[in-house]
Amino acid sequence: MTGPSARAVVIGASSGALEALLGILPGLPKGYPLPIMVVVHVPPDRKSLLAEILGMKCRMGVREAEDKEPVCAGTVYLAPPDYHLLAETENCLSLSSEEPVHYSRPSIDVLFESAADVYGPGLIGIILSGGSDDGARGLQAIRQAGGTALVQRPSLALVPVMPQAALDVCPDARSLSLEEITACLLEAATV
Amino acid sequence: MINKIEDIEIRLLLDAIFEKYHYDFRGYSTASVKRRLHQAVERLGCRTFSVLQDRVFHDPSILPELLSFLTVQVSELFRDPAYFRAIRELVVPHLKTYPSLKVWVAGCAAGEELYSLAILFREEGLEDRTLFYGTDINPAALRKAEAGVYELERIPLFTENHRRSGGKTSLSDYYTAAYGAAVFDKTLRRRAVFSDHSLVSDAVFAEVHLVSCRNVLIYFDRDLQDRAIGLFKDSLTRKGFLGLGAKESLRFCKHADAFAEFAREERIYQMRGVS
């Protein structure tokens, strides 16, 4: 199933993100022992309400990441609009305003590739509903570093393009329902 | 283990760049530097970071190319309009009380932010008493800043940003369009000095009333951030202002106590009085 000792979770989503995230994150307990970093494609030029909305539904703490913010277990960190979110070290996040990737800033690939480098086999990467192919390369990087790759089953996703693109590049990623993904995350935390 | 070797190679490469050219990227945020070096080896056709290191030592033409990868040059005129609106509405009234002003745009890249402030200061009647310093480590970026020429296709965004920042004039008053480019009015940089300055290794060079340094510190690790903010602190006059990027703060900085939050959302700080 998941690796022997998961230390962090990264999630990428685009169109249909809110529904998909609400199918997973509220199912995790307050003291969930892993940090979760999330990239959702959001418009660059306005404040995002995602953290507030998720915060109301989740028992874990949810917030937009700050540059050089220490990584704490039990917290969901969202990439802010118009910035890439990167895992700097196991204990520290960083932001960047480098060029958009796949026309998007934040980009899922940028988070996933940096996190794969930092956490190696201790990382779980999840691609949810979306209409681009951002995240496919990043998920592949996670697999190559020995991490765990999960994908929302395209037939169950609001917009199947992104999970399908991820599966095309990472055929050994597990294609699951949101309930199954939640169960995986709960299980990874108990090992 | 592959990653471990790569990490060693990157460390040696950054050492090589420093030893040979005195550009010091060793205190930059690792994740972002790695990412950009990956792009560099790919585009420069180097098989490994060690091959690139060899070229750093033996091929002088590599430096400008490498700098273009290692320094991030992404900005807009009036990027984050709310920031410029806060400068206009909250900071300018304070600045108006000084007979002469100095403004330092640290990490000015291709000059977008400096031109934004120059336009804003002209609109607010402060231009004639102000001297602007724009500094960066990348000579190619400084040349672009001095030229003040931007792609025409970026102008609609700049215009919209300017409007949302509370602009009192039309942005088209400040440039002429020619051959697919917008050439900004030379008089905007009449009172601007662009020069080479490194936040990593150089010292304070002037006493200033406003430092605007946005989306530069995110590329530094915490120690280097502390150094840069220390420079700003030592450059600013009593009650001087420091503007940071929308997601930058002094929260994790050792000089935080020297500053008070002035416009919280827009990340504008003010130096406290005598300590």
Side-chain angles (χ1 to χ4, degrees):
Chain A
M1 297 284 263
T2 51
S5 52
R7 298 195 304 282
V9 179
V10 288
I11 301 178
S14 189
S15 317
L18 186 60
E19 293 81 350
L21 288 170
L22 287 175
I24 298 174
L25 297 177
L28 303 175
K30 186 167 192 285
Y32 187 71
L34 308 179
I36 301 181
M37 283 82 94
V38 182
V39 166
V40 173
H41 292 159
V42 285
D45 56 348
R46 67 194 81 138
K47 225 167 120 60
S48 164
L49 295 173
L50 203 55
E52 278 176 53
I53 297 170
L54 289 173
M56 286 187 291
K57 306 272 183 186
C58 292
R59 284 168 284 173
M60 292 178 73
V62 182
R63 61 165 178 264
E64 260 184 24
E66 291 263 336
D67 181 52
K68 303 296 170 319
E69 171 150 13
V71 175
C72 299
T75 308
V76 178
Y77 298 94
L78 297 173
D82 213 22
Y83 287 87
H84 294 304
L85 172 65
L86 297 92
E88 178 74 8
T89 64
E90 291 227 2
N91 304 312
C92 181
L93 300 170
S94 64
L95 301 178
S96 147
S97 51
E98 286 163 70
E99 297 81 356
V101 176
H102 305 285
Y103 307 100
S104 188
R105 185 170 61 202
S107 145
I108 301 165
D109 278 346
V110 171
L111 171 64
F112 279 25
E113 286 170 1
S114 65
D117 190 47
V118 165
Y119 295 100
L123 184 67
I124 302 171
I126 305 170
I127 294 289
L128 302 174
S129 170
S132 88
D133 60 357
D134 189 16
R137 239 183 93 154
L139 199 66
Q140 189 181 32
I142 291 173
R143 282 299 299 133
Q144 282 166 354
T148 304
L150 310 179
V151 166
Q152 183 180 15
R153 191 176 302 141
S155 60
L156 299 174
L158 213 58
V159 184
V161 178
M162 206 159 81
Q164 187 57 55
L167 281 174
D168 292 345
V169 175
C170 274
D172 63 346
R174 299 177 59 206
S175 178
L176 305 171
S177 69
L178 296 177
E179 295 72 28
E180 289 166 327
I181 290 174
T182 311
C184 264
L185 292 180
L186 289 169
E187 186 193 340
T190 56
V191 179
Chain B
M1 287 313 283
I2 294 167
N3 280 333
K4 284 274 173 257
I5 289 171
E6 190 182 282
D7 289 346
I8 298 167
E9 283 185 292
I10 287 177
R11 205 172 67 230
L12 294 173
L13 173 61
L14 296 179
D15 280 344
I17 296 168
F18 175 66
E19 294 286 343
K20 170 119 195 220
Y21 292 106
H22 301 285
Y23 280 102
D24 193 351
F25 294 100
R26 296 172 301 176
Y28 275 46
S29 295
T30 320
S32 167
V33 161
K34 254 189 197 177
R35 197 174 158 259
R36 285 176 277 146
L37 284 175
H38 270 286
Q39 292 171 343
V41 289
E42 198 173 300
R43 302 230 196 111
L44 296 171
C46 297
R47 199 170 43 79
T48 63
F49 294 107
S50 303
V51 173
L52 182 56
Q53 185 192 317
D54 184 75
R55 288 185 66 186
V56 165
F57 282 130
H58 303 292
D59 173 4
S61 73
I62 200 78
L63 183 71
E65 294 200 66
L66 209 46
L67 281 183
S68 74
F69 284 105
L70 282 169
T71 58
V72 177
Q73 315 287 347
V74 187
S75 192
E76 299 159 12
L77 255 76
F78 296 94
R79 178 174 181 187
D80 301 324
Y83 172 80
F84 288 95
R85 187 179 274 277
I87 295 276
R88 188 189 299 277
E89 292 173 358
L90 304 174
V91 176
V92 160
H94 288 264
L95 298 181
K96 280 189 169 159
T97 63
Y98 294 93
S100 76
L101 291 167
K102 287 179 184 161
V103 172
W104 178 16
V105 180
C108 69
E112 290 92 337
E113 186 158 314
L114 192 142
Y115 285 100
S116 307
L117 287 171
I119 291 168
L120 192 155
F121 274 47
R122 182 175 291 185
E123 288 174 333
E124 298 299 332
L126 286 174
E127 186 193 20
D128 291 337
R129 67 177 98 161
T130 306
L131 187 59
F132 295 94
Y133 299 106
T135 62
D136 204 276
I137 59 166
N138 185 341
L142 286 168
R143 280 195 299 275
K144 269 196 209 165
E146 221 148 343
V149 178
Y150 303 105
E151 294 92 351
L152 209 48
E153 64 189 33
R154 300 173 71 195
I155 292 296
L157 174 65
F158 293 178
T159 304
E160 173 64 9
N161 284 350
H162 174 243
R163 193 189 59 74
R164 288 170 58 198
S165 80
K168 293 176 171 167
T169 53
S170 164
L171 192 66
S172 60
D173 298 346
Y174 303 98
Y175 65 85
T176 45
Y179 306 106
V183 184
F184 275 77
D185 184 353
K186 279 195 185 64
T187 62
L188 284 173
R189 54 180 180 278
R190 207 174 38 195
R191 308 200 44 87
V193 179
F194 291 99
S195 75
D196 173 57
H197 180 275
S198 165
L199 297 171
V200 182
S201 51
D202 290 329
V204 169
F205 62 90
E207 183 175 67
V208 302
H209 303 81
L210 166 64
V211 173
S212 196
C213 181
R214 306 180 63 233
N215 298 315
V216 174
L217 299 181
I218 48 177
Y219 300 108
F220 294 174
D221 71 15
R222 286 232 202 126
D223 289 341
L224 200 47
Q225 288 184 346
D226 280 343
R227 183 188 196 278
I229 292 164
L231 280 186
F232 301 153
K233 188 184 93 168
D234 294 340
S235 302
L236 283 166
T237 56
R238 201 171 79 85
K239 300 282 183 186
F241 295 92
L242 169 64
L244 300 178
K247 289 292 154 188
E248 294 168 327
S249 75
L250 298 180
R251 213 168 100 202
F252 308 116
C253 171
K254 73 172 183 192
H255 303 295
D257 291 345
F259 294 88
E261 279 182 349
F262 181 77
R264 191 196 167 95
E265 277 287 297
E266 291 77 19
R267 307 296 161 115
I268 298 171
Y269 296 84
Q270 185 175 31
M271 282 276 282
R272 291 184 194 278
V274 195
S275 48

